[in-house]
Amino acid sequence: MVITNEPGYYKEGAFGIRIESALLVVEAEQKEEGKQFLAFERFTQVPITSKLVNYAMLTRKERKWLKSHNTTCLEKLSPLLDGDKRALRWLKRECGATPTLFGKGRMGVGGVEIIWD
């Protein structure tokens, strides 16, 4: 079964933004008291544009997850774009951003720099 997760932010009369992700429902690896639970496996393989993220609001775990997600997208999609240099360049740019907080790295939104790990 596939479901969607669609968190978003909407400013009335101005704009809205939503990150929509399809999730595959799978059996969880861990059982508890003999019961089988379900878990979600991310099905959507589109990088999350880092320049739209306010990293100052993310926990270390969330930053790590975002980096992992974008790395997985790059690994899975790159072979499919081998003949399309423009698309591959875009994918590498979106997946390869490694901003830093208070150190060397790419500046994020509002001039804030972020550390991934």
Side-chain angles (χ1 to χ4, degrees):
M1 174 185 347
V2 176
I3 63 171
T4 60
N5 179 21
E6 305 175 16
Y9 173 79
Y10 301 92
K11 185 169 182 174
E12 191 173 336
F15 65 90
I17 184 170
R18 179 173 68 199
I19 299 174
E20 184 172 337
S21 300
L23 304 171
L24 182 62
V25 180
V26 297
E27 289 185 354
E29 291 181 20
Q30 183 177 347
K31 293 182 180 181
E32 193 166 318
E33 298 179 18
K35 296 179 183 177
Q36 178 64 58
F37 289 88
L38 299 176
F40 303 112
E41 184 178 298
R42 196 167 176 85
F43 190 68
T44 301
Q45 295 299 311
V46 176
I48 295 174
T49 303
S50 61
K51 65 184 174 185
L52 297 177
V53 177
N54 183 347
Y55 292 95
M57 296 178 72
L58 298 181
T59 64
R60 181 177 296 271
K61 184 177 179 181
E62 290 167 332
R63 290 192 305 265
K64 197 171 189 175
W65 178 90
L66 182 57
K67 182 179 181 181
S68 173
H69 168 72
N70 282 355
T71 300
T72 299
C73 289
L74 182 63
E75 290 169 356
K76 290 187 176 189
L77 298 175
S78 289
L80 303 174
L81 300 174
D82 192 33
D84 189 337
K85 290 181 182 179
R86 183 175 168 225
L88 191 55
R89 209 170 35 249
W90 174 87
L91 181 66
K92 286 179 179 179
R93 183 183 69 236
E94 295 303 316
C95 292
T98 53
T100 345
L101 181 56
F102 310 121
K104 294 182 179 179
R106 190 178 75 118
M107 293 297 276
V109 176
V112 175
E113 292 186 63
I114 306 308
I115 296 172
W116 281 113
D117 314 305

